[in-house]
């Protein structure tokens, strides 16, 4: 197994690359929240049942820079050793409440490959259910949606529309993530005031801004600033979660800054604030965002096309389901649905995401003070700092647009 630091660096690189394409492809919405981690875990469930060139393509994408001979092992290690650590619930120790759940819904006329079933049960702790897509598709979708809603504490409702499945549907693979963290230092609601947030079109909207006179983790650079807002750690000394806000100096600088941030983990790691500074003016808008998209085209743009049936001569997803000899068509992915939610206020952050893959046959004192006024479009992410795992990524263009 490769060093965990190398594995996390690869996972982060994949997260940022995914986020970049989602951000540019889904540019009709003013605000964005996306969990690259949920998307990656769902694709990992697909990779566990893939073979041939389809598997190679997934491993190259999910484990960039890994030795091809050990990529499959590295992928399971990223989930079992790194992701599980980052997503373990810390609420009993006073830290953030976290949950990560995986599910496999398989049409009752099919049977999972024994090795695949063992893998998703033992490593991914997946909840495996038998459903009837052929005759009771609506009921089957209702079961999947209910499972997702429960796993995300009610934040993600109706992940799938019944029209997404039908008689040819064989499986649905799901991942759901829930995060709820309190700031290490809560903000006083009485200091929250409404002020102008400047939009890209030159207009402005009045929105509530969180404010404080306490020192903050801020680092300043030539054309942007970075704020770190740590979440309460409690007695969970193995992990530290933080939200990072990347704020361009100019009101319209988010595009250039996003290109830098999404370029790779090196830029991110080199610009994380480590010391508190005194602040003279500090304002961050409250915001609530819901976002959903279908990810097939994003993956195809990234070169992941074989899971959709790009090569009929390839082994494809042959290691997922036991196909009887009379079944002439191969398994392919027909769609990938992702939904996410985030709310940021004086208390902290609550966020959730779910991804479904549908398949069918075929502290030192600083003398000067700093300002951090996020009154124009900015980028943000939620990260576990000790492992470097990125949970959520997004941008705020207009906080007045409520979820």
């Amino acid at each position: 197994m490769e060093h965990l630091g190398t594995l996390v660096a690869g996972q982060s690189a994949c997260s940022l690359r995914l986020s970049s394409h989602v951000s540019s492809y889904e540019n009709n919405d003013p605000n964005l929240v996306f969990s690259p981690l949920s998307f990656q875990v769902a694709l990992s469930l697909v990779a566990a049942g893939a073979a041939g060139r389809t598997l190679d393509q997934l491993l190259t994408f999910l484990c960039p820079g890994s030795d091809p001979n050990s990529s499959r092992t590295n992928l399971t290690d990223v989930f079992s050793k790194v992701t599980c650590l980052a997503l373990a619930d810390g609420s009993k120790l006073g830290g953030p409440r976290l949950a990560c759940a995986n599910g496999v819904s398989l049409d009752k006329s099919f049977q999972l490959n024994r090795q695949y079933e063992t893998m998703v049960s033992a490593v991914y702790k997946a909840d495996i259910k038998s459903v009837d897509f052929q005759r009771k598709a609506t009921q089957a979708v209702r079961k999947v949606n209910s499972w997702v809603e429960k796993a995300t504490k009610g934040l993600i409702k109706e992940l799938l529309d019944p029209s997404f499945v039908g008689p040819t549907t064989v499986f649905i693979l799901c991942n759901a993530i829930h995060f709820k963290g309190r700031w290490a230092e809560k903000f006083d609601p009485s200091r929250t005031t409404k002020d102008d947030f400047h939009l890209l079109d030159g207009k402005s909207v009045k929105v509530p801004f969180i404010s404080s006179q306490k020192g903050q983790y801020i680092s300043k650079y030539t054309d942007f600033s970075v704020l770190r807002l740590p979440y309460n750690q409690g007695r969970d000394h193995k992990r530290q979660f933080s939200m990072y806000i990347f704020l361009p100096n100019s009101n319209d600088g988010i595009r250039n800054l996003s290109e830098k941030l999404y370029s790779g983990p090196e830029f991110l790691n080199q610009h994380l604030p480590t010391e508190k500074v005194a602040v003279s003016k500090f304002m961050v808008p409250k915001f609530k965002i819901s976002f959903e998209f279908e990810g097939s085209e994003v993956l195809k743009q990234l070169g992941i096309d074989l899971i959709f049936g790009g090569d009929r001569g390839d082994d494809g997803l042959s290691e997922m389901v036991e196909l009887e000899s009379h079944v002439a068509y191969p398994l392919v992915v027909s769609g990938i649905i992702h939904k996410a939610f985030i709310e940021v206020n004086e208390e902290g952050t609550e966020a959730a995401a779910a991804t479904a893959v549908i398949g069918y046959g075929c502290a030192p004192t600083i003398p000067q003070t700093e300002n951090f006024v996020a009154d124009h479009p900015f980028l943000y992410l939620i990260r576990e700092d000790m492992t470097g795992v990125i949970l959520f990524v997004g941008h705020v263009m207009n906080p007045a647009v409520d979820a």
Side-chain angles (χ1 to χ4, degrees):
M1 186 191 76
E2 294 185 21
H3 188 271
L4 288 182
T6 303
L7 295 179
V8 173
Q11 187 267 344
S12 296
C14 179
S15 291
L16 294 169
R17 190 177 175 212
L18 254 176
S19 301
S20 174
H21 277 70
V22 171
S23 176
S24 60
Y25 185 76
E26 299 290 332
N27 57 11
N28 293 326
D29 290 82
N31 303 317
L32 169 71
V33 57
F34 166 63
S35 175
L37 185 56
S38 176
F39 212 84
Q40 288 167 301
V41 174
L43 285 180
S44 298
L45 291 172
V46 177
R53 290 181 58 241
T54 299
L55 175 62
D56 293 340
Q57 197 176 73
L58 284 168
L59 292 179
T60 300
F61 175 68
L62 292 168
C63 299
S66 283
D67 180 352
N69 296 321
S70 58
S71 291
R72 194 164 200 169
T73 302
N74 290 339
L75 185 61
T76 56
D77 282 335
V78 166
F79 183 82
S80 61
K81 294 183 173 61
V82 181
T83 306
C84 284
L85 170 64
L87 294 176
D89 184 32
S91 59
K92 292 182 179 179
L93 296 174
R97 181 179 299 278
L98 281 137
C100 177
N102 296 310
V104 177
S105 296
L106 182 72
D107 186 81
K108 68 177 187 178
S109 61
F110 292 85
Q111 183 177 346
L112 288 179
N113 175 290
R114 184 172 297 178
Q115 188 173 0
Y116 178 79
E117 184 174 4
T118 300
M119 170 73 75
V120 296
S121 297
V123 176
Y124 294 93
K125 313 297 182 186
D127 183 15
I128 301 173
K129 293 184 181 299
S130 177
V131 296
D132 190 349
F133 288 123
Q134 296 186 25
R135 286 177 288 274
K136 299 179 180 178
T138 300
Q139 183 179 333
V141 169
R142 193 180 299 125
K143 287 182 178 179
V144 173
N145 287 341
S146 177
W147 180 89
V148 168
E149 185 172 347
K150 182 179 179 181
T152 60
K153 311 304 179 188
L155 294 181
I156 305 295
K157 296 178 170 61
E158 305 298 324
L159 174 65
L160 298 177
D161 186 276
S163 63
F164 292 153
V165 304
T168 59
T169 303
V170 175
F171 65 86
I172 295 178
L173 310 178
C174 278
N175 169 265
I177 292 175
H178 177 256
F179 173 91
K180 188 173 184 178
R182 294 176 290 115
W183 302 127
E185 293 186 1
K186 292 182 183 179
F187 294 93
D188 183 356
S190 67
R191 295 187 60 86
T192 298
T193 58
K194 281 197 170 185
D195 211 324
D196 289 331
F197 187 94
H198 303 282
L199 308 179
L200 290 179
D201 62 5
K203 299 178 182 178
S204 63
V205 292
K206 290 282 187 183
V207 298
F209 283 85
I210 299 167
S211 183
S212 176
Q213 290 184 321
K214 296 179 180 179
Q216 303 291 335
Y217 291 93
I218 298 172
S219 54
K220 296 254 181 179
Y221 302 95
T222 302
D223 54 0
F224 67 95
S225 301
V226 185
L227 167 70
R228 174 188 174 226
L229 293 173
Y231 295 99
N232 191 43
Q233 190 177 20
R235 302 185 309 282
D236 187 1
H237 301 302
K238 293 183 179 180
R239 298 178 305 169
Q240 174 64 68
F241 292 88
S242 301
M243 171 174 277
Y244 292 91
I245 293 179
F246 283 71
L247 177 70
N249 290 353
S250 60
N251 288 0
D252 60 353
I254 188 170
R255 184 182 298 275
N256 289 336
L257 183 55
S258 65
E259 290 177 359
K260 294 177 181 178
L261 177 59
Y262 295 145
S263 64
E266 296 81 8
F267 179 86
L268 173 62
N269 294 334
Q270 290 169 4
H271 295 89
L272 300 179
T274 58
E275 298 181 344
K276 275 190 174 181
V277 299
V279 295
S280 54
K281 191 175 183 181
F282 178 82
M283 295 169 60
V284 173
K286 296 168 62 173
F287 58 90
K288 186 191 295 186
I289 303 170
S290 292
F291 185 79
E292 63 180 288
F293 73 102
E294 203 289 318
S296 300
E297 288 305 315
V298 171
L299 285 178
K300 290 174 184 177
Q301 288 179 6
L302 287 162
I304 311 302
D305 60 348
L306 296 180
I307 60 173
F308 303 105
D311 185 352
R312 293 293 180 178
D314 188 52
D315 292 328
L317 306 182
S318 59
E319 296 188 15
M320 184 179 295
V321 172
E322 298 287 358
L323 292 177
E324 302 296 335
S325 59
H326 66 276
V327 179
Y329 49 83
L331 290 179
V332 296
V333 170
S334 61
I336 300 181
I337 311 300
H338 183 86
K339 274 191 177 183
F341 170 91
I342 188 169
E343 181 175 9
V344 172
N345 56 32
E346 296 91 347
E347 295 288 317
T349 303
E350 186 167 18
T355 306
V357 178
I358 306 165
Y360 68 92
C362 113
T365 302
I366 306 298
Q368 77 279 8
T369 62
E370 298 284 3
N371 290 335
F372 191 91
V373 181
D375 65 352
H376 54 276
F378 58 84
L379 303 154
Y380 68 88
L381 58 90
I382 295 177
R383 177 180 184 264
E384 199 291 298
D385 290 329
M386 295 190 181
T387 59
V389 172
I390 299 170
L391 280 71
F392 294 88
V393 172
H395 59 241
V396 176
M397 299 289 195
N398 184 353
V401 178
D402 199 344

